[in-house]
Amino acid sequence: MNFRNFAFAFLTAIFFAFPNFAADISISENQKNQSAAKDSPSVSFVRSLSAALESGSVEQALALFQTMPASLKNDFDLQKLQASLLISAAGYDDAKKLIFELEKKNPSDIEIKELKMMLAKVTGNASAKSAALKEIVALDPNNASANTELGQEQVLKHKYKPAKNYYAKALQGDPKNLDALFGYGQTSYYLNEIDASKRAFNKMLEIDPQNAQAYAYIGKIYAEDENYLRAEESILKAIALDDSNYDFYMDLGTYQRFRGKFKDAEKAWTNAIKINPQYFLAYAYRAGLYDEQNIYDKALEDYRMVITTNPKYYFAYESVGMLSWRIGNYEEARAAFEKAYSYNKTNVSYPLMIAACYYKAVKQTSQAVQVKPFLTKAMKDFPDHDSLEYLMLRLYNDLGPSNAENLVSRKIQTESNGTKKGKMTFYLALFDEIMGRDELAKKIYSEVASLQSPMFFEFRLAEWKVK
């Protein structure tokens, strides 16, 4: 839960627990209007504070404490409420002073310990938070707030089993705690304990029928069973409650894509981009969708945006390289393959494509002279001089002679790894094309394009060449 929301839930619970004020607050609006003129200062203050809390105005509620009647100055519950408001309003120094004074009055008060824990969390004081958590658990082993926080710490470390155990303890202390139920459901989902996860999220919806996150995870659970219709229905309920959630639209697009609703999936991921245009994932998903539908210009635009928003996502460089190669933009293709190569020095495809880009651009620029220095350096990444990878790089570097080409061809024929054999066959065809032997190149490209279940990107380049 968002800390601000958590603070409001916490302080509202404290407020409505005041036994002295409960009767006053529960009277009807008509009675309030009739008795407003004769309200005591204390009751008037409580009414104003209640209204501020209901409207969600932290600043207004805090300002009221400056006008608090003398009769309420030392009310312990109101002081705890004030401390919680100070934390929510980032008045950390004042909150710390007030919590210190309150703890001196009642060292065993669980709610004061919880306020200490929250303050330490929002101020990034890990040691203070850890100390406060230990104090809470010592007083109340099944405390919901403390065990939920301990569970969240484990989730951040990807330790889902111990996290789930903490959430289970929290639920022992408070079976209706929404944060604990969410954590229990989420970690159960991560641990593939689907039934337990589903029960937790359904329980959340019993307590809070407007809980968008619960609907979202129920959608994920349906998707696990490939029931994408029900998954889509669930995530649409989540979006109806919160249409500003990036992840919800990512899930919606995924479910719609699996249902063959490509236009709807495109729209969902476009909405995600509108929500956060600086995050790469929706661009990547939408690019893949365009790519599958042969809408190559839009796919290339989106892959470029993936690189712009996440330069470390090196898989996108390969896609940019391929699609730029397809339209003859060899400068962009080479730059993309160079970047991909910088992330993966063991994939021979990248230096070979870089060299080919240099050669293909020779009529446009004079950069082809840079091929030999580049390949001389690249060959050092493949120290086995008898390997097919090294021999192919050497062939591209030397551009022959014929006995070297024959040696590579024989090596390819005897290669037992189907993926490697198909990939190297493509580069043999590309070599023929570079050498001007177009008919022979086309014949070999056709062999590559006819392969079944290819697992290398060069297959698509061969297909494009044949078509």
Side-chain angles (χ1 to χ4, degrees), residues 190-407:
Y190 290 159
L191 293 167
N192 202 33
E193 298 173 5
I194 302 301
D195 289 341
S197 178
K198 190 173 184 178
R199 285 194 299 271
F201 290 120
N202 281 327
K203 181 67 174 179
M204 286 182 70
L205 290 174
E206 288 177 17
I207 300 166
D208 178 15
Q210 305 300 306
N211 195 293
Q213 286 289 352
Y215 281 117
Y217 266 89
I218 287 173
K220 292 179 187 291
I221 290 168
Y222 280 124
E224 288 289 320
D225 288 335
E226 299 183 5
N227 189 341
Y228 298 113
L229 171 60
R230 296 297 298 274
E232 182 181 353
E233 291 172 348
S234 294
I235 198 62
L236 283 171
K237 289 178 182 178
I239 289 171
L241 294 166
D242 180 5
D243 63 359
S244 64
N245 189 298
Y246 185 97
D247 293 335
F248 291 174
Y249 284 104
M250 292 303 299
D251 287 348
L252 174 63
T254 299
Y255 306 151
Q256 291 173 331
R257 182 179 186 175
F258 278 117
R259 295 190 64 209
K261 299 167 66 175
F262 300 129
K263 284 294 182 183
D264 289 336
E266 176 188 352
K267 182 179 178 181
W269 291 327
T270 299
N271 282 332
I273 290 168
K274 290 177 182 177
I275 291 169
N276 187 358
Q278 301 306 313
Y279 192 57
F280 78 99
L281 197 58
Y283 293 112
Y285 278 38
R286 195 174 67 176
L289 182 67
Y290 287 142
D291 208 348
E292 285 182 4
Q293 298 177 86
N294 301 332
I295 308 174
Y296 297 124
D297 54 341
K298 289 187 175 182
L300 180 55
E301 288 177 12
D302 272 357
Y303 282 127
R304 286 168 177 158
M305 286 305 300
V306 173
I307 291 170
T308 299
T309 53
N310 186 3
K312 293 183 179 180
Y313 192 75
Y314 88 85
F315 299 104
Y317 291 108
E318 182 178 292
S319 296
V320 169
M322 291 167 56
L323 293 170
S324 299
W325 171 272
R326 176 183 171 274
I327 59 176
N329 187 344
Y330 300 118
E331 290 296 318
E332 183 178 27
R334 177 172 58 82
F337 284 123
E338 284 176 343
K339 197 69 177 180
Y341 185 39
S342 72
Y343 283 103
N344 186 354
K345 290 288 188 179
T346 63
N347 189 339
V348 73
S349 296
Y350 298 143
L352 287 169
M353 286 304 301
I354 293 166
C357 286
Y358 274 124
Y359 285 128
K360 295 287 282 185
V362 68
K363 293 180 180 179
Q364 303 168 23
T365 73
S366 60
Q367 292 182 344
V369 296
Q370 299 180 41
V371 173
K372 289 185 182 297
F374 165 74
L375 286 174
T376 299
K377 186 177 180 181
M379 285 188 285
K380 294 178 182 178
D381 292 327
F382 300 88
D384 182 358
H385 290 194
D386 291 326
S387 69
L388 187 49
E389 291 85 352
Y390 177 87
L391 291 173
M392 187 66 79
L393 286 167
R394 189 64 186 246
L395 181 64
Y396 272 64
N397 181 74
D398 297 345
L399 294 181
S402 58
N403 60 333
E405 188 175 354
N406 291 335
L407 175 59

